[in-house]
Amino acid sequence: MKFTLKDYQDDAVRDVLDNLKKARKRWHEDGDKHAFSLTATTGAGKTVMAAAVFEALFYGSDEFEFEADAGAVVIWFSDDPSLNEQSKYRLMEASDKLTTSNLETVESSFGRETFEAGKIYFLNTQKLSKTSLLVRGHDDDDSVVEVGGQRVMPDLRAHTIWDTIQNTIEDPDLTLYLMLDEAHRGVSGTAKGRQTIVTRLINGQGRVPGIPVVWGISATVQRFNEAIEDMAGHTKFPDVVVDSKKVQASGLLKDTINMDVPDETGDFETVLLRRAGEKFRNISTRWLDYHQKENDADQVIPLLVLQVPNSPDHNEIGMWLQTIFETWPELDSDCIANVFGEHRAEKFGSYEAPYIAPERVQESKWVRILVAKDAISTGWDCPRAEVMVSLRAAQDNTHITQLLGRMVRTPLARRIPGNEMLNAVDCLLPHFNRKTVENVVDVLMHGGEPGGDSLERRVLINPREMTPNPDVPEAVWEKLVSLPSQSLPKRQARPIKRLTALAHELAADDLLDGAGKRAHAHLHKVLDDFAVSQADEIKAAREAVLRVEGLRLVADVNTREQSFESFVEDADLAVIEDAYRRAARLITPDVARTYSEYLADKNEEAEDIEEALVEAHTDVAAIGLVPTVRDKLDAAADALTKEWFSEHGGAIKSLSDQRQDTYREIREMSSDPQNVDLVRPDVWLQPTKMKMPDGRIADLPTFARHLLCNKEGLFPDELNDWETRVLNREMSQDDFVAWYRNPPRASQDSLGITYEMDELRIVRPDLICFSELGDGTIVADIVDPHGTQFSDALPKLRGLARYAELHGGHFRRIDAIAATSDGVLRVLDLQDPTVRKAIETAETPTSLYAKGGVAKDYPA
C-alpha cells in the first residue's frame, strides 16, 4: 500500500479478510453462499480499505496473515459508471500492486468465456440492462437465434455477460466475489417482490447461479442488510462496522461545519451570496498563506459549490454568479463549470459553464465555482470544496445534507494544527431559518444517521472567529505547548514496523544518515545475542526444520490388520522455505530478509551464495520456532524507537506540519499510550448564540482573559452553573493570568488523557488555568468540573489520577471538582497520593466526594 492505514482502517481490513476467507472456504467445500457489509461513514476511506483487501486477496499479506486466493475474481458494481471510474483511479492511487492490468472496465465489446483470476471488473447497472450489447442474447431475450442447435448471439458474440458470470461461478478453480459500492442502492425492489439487477446478481436468475461471495459497502447499509436477510440463497456474516468517532478523530474529516442562515424572516439571497463570496476569497487566501508557510505542503485550490434547484432559471443563476464575482473581481470568470445531468455546456446569464464529470472536479484546478443540482450528492468526492451556497428550498434538506456529506473530507487528509478555519467547511442557506436547519444539524452531527452516536464534529450556526488574545503573555503560550498530552494506543501495533517506519522518515528528512541500516543492524545484533543465549533450543529447532517426520499406514490384506510405522526424511528446499516464511511473519519479512543476507555474508564455508542463503534461511526458520524471540525483538525495537524520538524530537518540531504529522502517526503506532505535543492554536471558530429551554435564541455569555478571543477581547462559551462558578473563582485569584477551554475533540491543540473503560479512551479536561508566581514563573492548573452521574465518571477519575502520578510535575494543581446533591462544590486534589490511592480502590465516584471522603470543599 502507498498509504499507511489508520488504526480503524487496519481493523476493518482484517475483519473483511476474515469474512472473505471463511466465505471462500465454505463455498468451495460446501457450496454455501455468504454476504456481509462494511459500514463506514462518508470520508472514512472505503476505497483505501478496499485496496488493502484486494492486495491481500490477490497477492497475500504477511501483515494480515492472509494467504492469497489464486483464483480470486472481483466484480466491482455500482449504478454509476463515473463513480466506477473514480473508484478505479483511487484504487490505483492507494495501492502499489493494483495496476491497469488488474483493473478492467467491462465495455460493450467484452466477450470472455470466464473472468480472469487476479482482476477486478467494473460493471454498472446500465451495462446489465436489457438494451445493453453485453446482455442481448441471454435466455430471456427474444433475439436469440439457434443454428444447428447452437445459440447465435447478436453481433456474433460468443458469450453474454451473464454467460461469463455463470462460467466463472461454475469454474472450480475460480472464486467470484461481488463488491457492491453504495450497497444501499439498487436493492429497493425486493421489498415489493421485484428483482432488480443487483438482486439478480446476488440471487441468480434462470440458469445463472447467484454470486457466491457478496460484500456491500455504504455509509448506510440497512437497506442492503434487509435485502440480504430476505434472500434465501445467502447466509449473512456479521457486519464490519467502522466506528465513526474514530474516523472523525483520525483527521480525515473536517472538524467543523459552519452554517450561515438568516436571523430573521426575509429574502437574504444577495446578502448570503455576497457573504459566500467573501468566505471563498478569505479561505483561498488562507490556504495560499499556509502553502507558502509550509513550503512542502500540496497547495489547496478551494472550490465554491453553488447548489441550485432541479429546474433552475439560468438567468437567475447568472445573477447569483455575478453577486459572487462582485465580492472577488480578480477571480477569472472562466472558472465556472456545471455537473448537470444534461451533460452539456450551460449559459448562465453572461457566464459560460462547460460540463465536467463529477470525478474530474477535484483534479481540475481551473474549476473554482461549480454549479450543481443534486446529481453529485452520492458517490462524488471533492475535498477541496470549502464553501457551499444552496439556493434550494428549505424542504430540500436531504439534498443539502447529502451534498455536505461529500464535502467533509479534509483536503490534505490530515488536520491543520491550531487552525479551525482550515479544518472547517462553510455552508450558506439563504432560504433556511434556524428551525428548519435543526434537521440538517442533527444529521451532520451524527455521521449521516439522525439520532445516532454523536461524532466529535461540530455544526455551528453563524459562528465567529477567535484569534490569540494580545493581552496573554508569551510565557503562557510556551507553558501550554509544553504540557504532555496522550494518544490512544494501536490495537495491532508492531514495534519492529514502527522502528523501520521511523528510520525511513528520519533518513528522508536527513535527520539520521543510514537510519534504516542502523535499525536493522541493531535488530541483527539482538538476534545474534539471542542465538547465543538460546543455542540449545535453536539447535533442536534447526534439526526439526531439516527433518520431516511422518506415519506410514501398513495394512495386511490377509489378516486385515492395520498398523502405523513412523518414518523420517530430510527436508527439501520447499519445506525449508515454508518454515522460513512462517518465521518471517513473526520477525517481519524485512528483518528476516536482511538478517538472512547478513548471515549469508558471514558464511565462509558455503560453496556459493545460494547455499549460504539456504543455510541462512534454515537458521532464521529455527530462530522463529523459539517463542521468546518475538518479545526480545519487540522490546529492542521499542527501546531504540524511544531513544531516536528523544534524540531527534527538537529537529522534528522544526519540520513542516505535514512532516510532523507523519512522525505523530509513527509515535502513536504503539500498544501503550504515547505522549504527544500540544500545538499552539491560531484560529478558533466559536458559536455566539444558544437555544434557551423555552426555544428562544440568546447570546452566549462571554468571558475575559481566555487565550483566544474576539476583537473585543472576549470569549463566548456555554458553561453550566457550577462550571461558571469554578471559572469565576479561579479568575478571582490574585495570581491568575489566563485560562484555556480545552477543546473536547481530537485536535492537536486539545490536551487528552487516557482512561480505561472496556477499552482505552480519552478524557479531555475542561479548563486549564495559568497563574504567575512571585518569581515570574508561569504555572498551569488542570481544573476539571467532573460530574459523577455518568457511568464513565470513576474510570475517568482513575485516568486523571494516573496522569497526575506520571506528569504531575508539569502542573501546580490537578483538581477534579463535582457538585454534591445539595449543590456544594467538592474537589479532589489529584496531586495528593492519598487521594489517588482512594480513587483506585473506590467503588463509586460519589463516595469520594461525600462528606468524610477524601474530597474537600472547593472555596467559594
Side-chain angles (χ1 to χ4, degrees):
M1 290 289 292
K2 295 176 183 174
F3 303 142
T4 299
L5 295 181
K6 302 291 185 182
D7 203 29
Y8 71 84
Q9 293 173 331
D10 188 282
D11 292 344
V13 169
R14 199 173 299 275
D15 291 341
V16 168
L17 287 172
D18 186 52
N19 278 353
L20 294 181
K21 181 167 63 175
K22 291 176 183 175
R24 177 181 70 198
K25 184 175 186 291
R26 295 178 187 179
W27 164 247
H28 286 292
E29 291 183 359
D30 304 315
D32 293 340
K33 301 170 187 172
H34 291 80
F36 68 96
S37 63
L38 169 65
T39 306
T41 188
T42 301
K46 66 177 177 62
T47 314
V48 172
M49 289 184 271
V53 167
F54 295 142
E55 273 196 3
L57 189 64
F58 293 155
Y59 302 104
S61 170
D62 291 318
E63 180 178 354
F64 295 110
E65 298 181 353
F66 187 87
E67 295 288 343
D69 180 359
V73 177
V74 176
I75 294 177
W76 182 294
F77 192 87
S78 81
D79 66 354
D80 186 347
S82 64
L83 179 57
N84 272 359
E85 289 305 305
Q86 178 171 274
S87 299
K88 182 178 176 181
Y89 170 77
R90 286 222 176 112
L91 287 173
M92 289 191 291
E93 186 181 40
S95 170
D96 50 12
K97 293 182 179 177
L98 301 176
T99 65
T100 52
S101 63
N102 300 101
L103 311 174
E104 181 174 343
T105 300
V106 177
E107 303 292 357
S108 299
S109 57
F110 186 86
R112 287 184 59 93
E113 183 177 359
T114 63
F115 290 122
E116 185 179 348
K119 281 196 171 187
I120 302 171
Y121 292 91
F122 291 85
L123 262 175
N124 58 72
T125 308
Q126 295 86 339
K127 293 288 176 62
L128 294 182
S129 65
K130 286 189 175 182
T131 57
S132 168
L133 291 176
L134 289 170
V135 172
R136 278 166 42 192
H138 188 56
D139 285 347
D140 301 330
D141 201 319
D142 295 335
S143 61
V144 175
V145 177
E146 289 195 3
V147 177
Q150 297 293 320
R151 291 190 303 155
V152 179
M153 307 300 180
D155 308 315
L156 300 179
R157 186 183 301 276
H159 306 279
T160 70
I161 192 66
W162 290 109
D163 293 329
T164 306
I165 292 171
Q166 178 185 357
N167 294 337
T168 303
I169 293 172
E170 293 176 348
D171 189 326
D173 295 326
L174 299 176
T175 311
L176 184 58
Y177 303 84
L178 175 64
M179 214 296 298
L180 290 175
D181 194 8
E182 302 293 345
H184 60 286
R185 303 169 71 175
V187 293
S188 57
T190 57
K192 301 177 181 178
R194 296 197 307 266
Q195 282 275 72
T196 66
I197 288 175
V198 171
T199 56
R200 287 203 300 270
L201 277 170
I202 297 172
N203 285 338
Q205 62 167 4
R207 59 185 171 79
V208 182
I211 293 179
V213 185
V214 180
W215 171 26
I217 297 183
S218 175
T220 53
V221 295
Q222 181 178 356
R223 194 182 299 167
F224 168 79
N225 287 340
E226 290 172 351
I228 292 297
E229 289 170 359
D230 289 338
M231 299 175 190
H234 287 74
T235 301
K236 189 174 176 301
F237 279 141
D239 295 337
V240 178
V241 180
V242 174
D243 187 340
S244 55
K245 290 184 179 179
K246 291 183 178 179
V247 181
Q248 189 67 46
S250 71
L252 290 179
L253 303 182
K254 295 286 185 73
D255 289 325
T256 306
I257 298 175
N258 300 319
M259 306 192 74
D260 284 18
V261 297
D263 272 339
E264 53 190 282
T265 303
D267 185 355
F268 294 95
E269 281 183 1
T270 303
V271 172
L272 288 190
L273 280 165
R274 189 179 300 115
R275 184 168 171 79
E278 292 168 353
K279 284 177 175 285
F280 183 43
R281 182 175 189 170
N282 180 40
I283 198 67
S284 297
T285 301
R286 287 178 184 268
W287 274 117
L288 178 60
D289 291 344
Y290 182 75
H291 168 68
Q292 292 173 343
K293 168 179 162 289
E294 290 298 298
N295 193 27
D296 68 339
D298 296 329
Q299 185 172 2
V300 176
I301 308 295
L303 176 78
L304 183 149
V305 178
L306 183 64
Q307 190 184 37
V308 300
N310 283 345
S311 301
D313 181 322
H314 283 47
N315 288 326
E316 191 171 25
I317 294 175
M319 290 189 290
W320 294 336
L321 290 169
Q322 183 177 343
T323 302
I324 293 170
F325 278 105
E326 285 173 354
T327 65
W328 194 357
E330 298 83 7
L331 191 62
D332 192 340
S333 61
D334 290 335
C335 69
I336 310 168
N338 85 83
V339 284
F340 287 1
E342 290 79 7
H343 290 209
R344 69 188 182 208
E346 302 284 353
K347 188 174 179 63
F348 303 122
S350 61
Y351 299 100
E352 301 284 346
Y355 171 78
I356 186 169
E359 70 272 13
R360 291 186 50 231
V361 175
Q362 173 66 15
E363 65 190 47
S364 303
K365 302 298 177 63
W366 64 270
V367 179
R368 301 300 308 278
I369 299 177
L370 186 69
V371 185
K373 299 178 187 176
D374 59 7
I376 57 174
S377 61
T378 302
W380 175 76
D381 188 27
C382 187
R384 67 185 183 93
E386 296 278 299
V387 181
M388 182 182 85
V389 190
S390 180
L391 279 304
R392 298 184 74 96
Q395 62 267 27
D396 285 345
N397 56 3
T398 299
H399 294 300
I400 292 164
T401 53
Q402 286 177 338
L403 180 52
L404 269 174
R406 313 311 308 179
M407 297 173 61
V408 295
R409 202 184 287 264
T410 49
L412 298 177
R414 59 181 172 86
R415 257 185 207 91
I416 306 305
N419 193 324
E420 289 189 354
M421 288 292 293
L422 300 185
N423 295 322
V425 61
D426 284 289
C427 175
L428 297 96
L429 304 171
H431 297 157
F432 276 59
N433 56 36
R434 282 183 172 270
K435 184 175 181 179
T436 55
V437 84
E438 285 177 0
N439 291 333
V440 179
V441 171
D442 182 50
V443 173
L444 293 172
M445 289 280 284
H446 298 95
E449 294 289 344
D453 289 339
S454 179
L455 300 173
E456 289 188 343
R457 175 194 295 161
R458 300 184 304 163
V459 181
L460 305 180
I461 301 175
N462 300 338
R464 294 294 178 265
E465 191 174 319
M466 303 289 139
T467 55
N469 190 332
D471 294 332
V472 171
E474 182 62 25
V476 171
W477 290 104
E478 292 174 359
K479 183 62 179 179
L480 174 70
V481 298
S482 74
L483 302 178
S485 183
Q486 293 181 321
S487 68
L488 289 175
K490 306 301 180 185
R491 193 179 79 177
Q492 304 294 340
R494 294 288 301 270
I496 299 173
K497 181 180 177 181
R498 182 175 178 233
L499 172 62
T500 53
L502 176 60
H504 175 80
E505 302 303 337
L506 289 173
D509 290 320
D510 294 326
L511 299 182
L512 183 61
D513 290 337
K517 290 182 178 179
R518 294 189 191 199
H520 278 248
H522 180 76
L523 298 178
H524 295 169
K525 176 66 166 54
V526 173
L527 288 171
D528 282 346
D529 293 344
F530 185 79
V532 172
S533 65
Q534 306 295 319
D536 292 341
E537 200 170 349
I538 292 173
K539 180 180 178 182
R542 198 176 198 281
E543 290 175 358
V545 171
L546 293 173
R547 184 178 59 202
V548 177
E549 297 181 358
L551 292 174
R552 178 175 58 203
L553 174 64
V554 179
D556 190 306
V557 177
N558 294 321
T559 64
R560 297 185 179 180
E561 292 181 354
Q562 297 179 354
S563 62
F564 289 92
E565 295 179 0
S566 61
F567 68 86
V568 177
E569 292 285 347
D570 291 337
D572 59 15
L573 184 59
V575 172
I576 294 171
E577 288 302 305
D578 182 62
Y580 167 77
R581 283 192 294 272
R582 288 198 300 271
R585 292 194 191 103
L586 191 71
I587 67 175
T588 75
D590 275 350
V591 172
R593 175 184 55 79
T594 59
Y595 189 58
S596 295
E597 293 169 353
Y598 161 77
L599 291 178
D601 287 340
K602 293 200 306 179
N603 190 341
E604 298 179 354
E605 297 179 3
E607 293 185 2
D608 52 36
I609 188 61
E610 286 77 13
E611 181 182 337
L613 279 174
V614 171
E615 287 291 314
H617 281 195
T618 307
D619 290 338
V620 171
I623 290 174
L625 291 175
V626 182
T628 54
V629 67
R630 171 75 172 270
D631 293 338
K632 289 286 185 182
L633 278 175
D634 284 352
D638 189 54
L640 185 57
T641 299
K642 290 177 179 176
E643 179 184 325
W644 282 357
F645 264 122
S646 175
E647 183 180 344
H648 302 286
I652 290 171
K653 284 185 178 181
S654 67
L655 299 174
S656 67
D657 287 348
Q658 182 181 24
R659 297 302 299 150
Q660 287 190 60
D661 194 65
T662 300
Y663 287 100
R664 179 188 59 79
E665 290 191 354
I666 295 172
R667 189 186 293 274
E668 294 175 2
M669 289 168 58
S670 171
S671 56
D672 298 315
Q674 296 293 304
N675 293 336
V676 293
D677 295 324
L678 278 178
V679 170
R680 177 172 176 162
D682 184 46
V683 179
W684 276 9
L685 295 169
Q686 276 293 106
T688 56
K689 306 281 186 179
M690 65 178 176
K691 189 174 183 179
M692 305 298 288
D694 60 4
R696 292 183 299 107
I697 302 299
D699 290 334
L700 280 173
T702 56
F703 302 87
R705 303 165 80 177
H706 189 267
L707 268 64
L708 294 105
C709 63
N710 58 21
K711 293 179 180 178
E712 291 73 37
L714 301 174
F715 181 78
D717 201 6
E718 186 174 1
L719 304 178
N720 63 31
D721 176 62
W722 51 285
E723 287 172 334
T724 303
R725 287 163 58 192
V726 168
L727 178 58
N728 287 337
R729 190 268 174 188
E730 295 294 327
M731 294 176 69
S732 68
Q733 299 304 300
D734 292 339
D735 58 1
F736 180 86
V737 177
W739 67 287
Y740 185 68
R741 182 67 151 113
N742 193 40
R745 54 192 175 278
S747 55
Q748 293 100 318
D749 52 6
S750 175
L751 189 148
I753 296 172
T754 60
Y755 71 97
E756 191 165 357
M757 185 178 174
D758 301 328
E759 60 180 359
L760 276 177
R761 305 183 185 185
I762 293 281
V763 58
R764 302 183 186 280
D766 288 339
L767 307 175
I768 303 175
C769 297
F770 299 90
S771 301
E772 184 176 2
L773 302 181
D775 61 0
T777 302
I778 296 293
V779 293
D781 301 323
I782 288 180
V783 184
D784 188 30
H786 189 95
T788 60
Q789 69 272 32
F790 302 110
S791 61
D792 61 356
L794 188 57
K796 284 181 176 178
L797 277 175
R798 288 174 176 158
L800 288 166
R802 283 191 288 271
Y803 179 83
E805 185 174 1
L806 289 171
H807 303 296
H810 291 271
F811 301 89
R812 181 179 62 173
R813 293 160 43 215
I814 301 180
D815 289 348
I817 302 169
T820 61
S821 57
D822 55 1
V824 175
L825 293 180
R826 301 270 287 169
V827 57
L828 291 170
D829 177 7
L830 301 182
Q831 295 283 48
D832 184 342
T834 304
V835 173
R836 294 200 296 265
K837 185 176 180 180
I839 291 172
E840 196 61 35
T841 58
E843 294 184 359
T844 65
T846 51
S847 65
L848 295 165
Y849 288 102
K851 292 291 184 181
V854 292
K856 299 178 181 179
D857 285 343
Y858 181 73

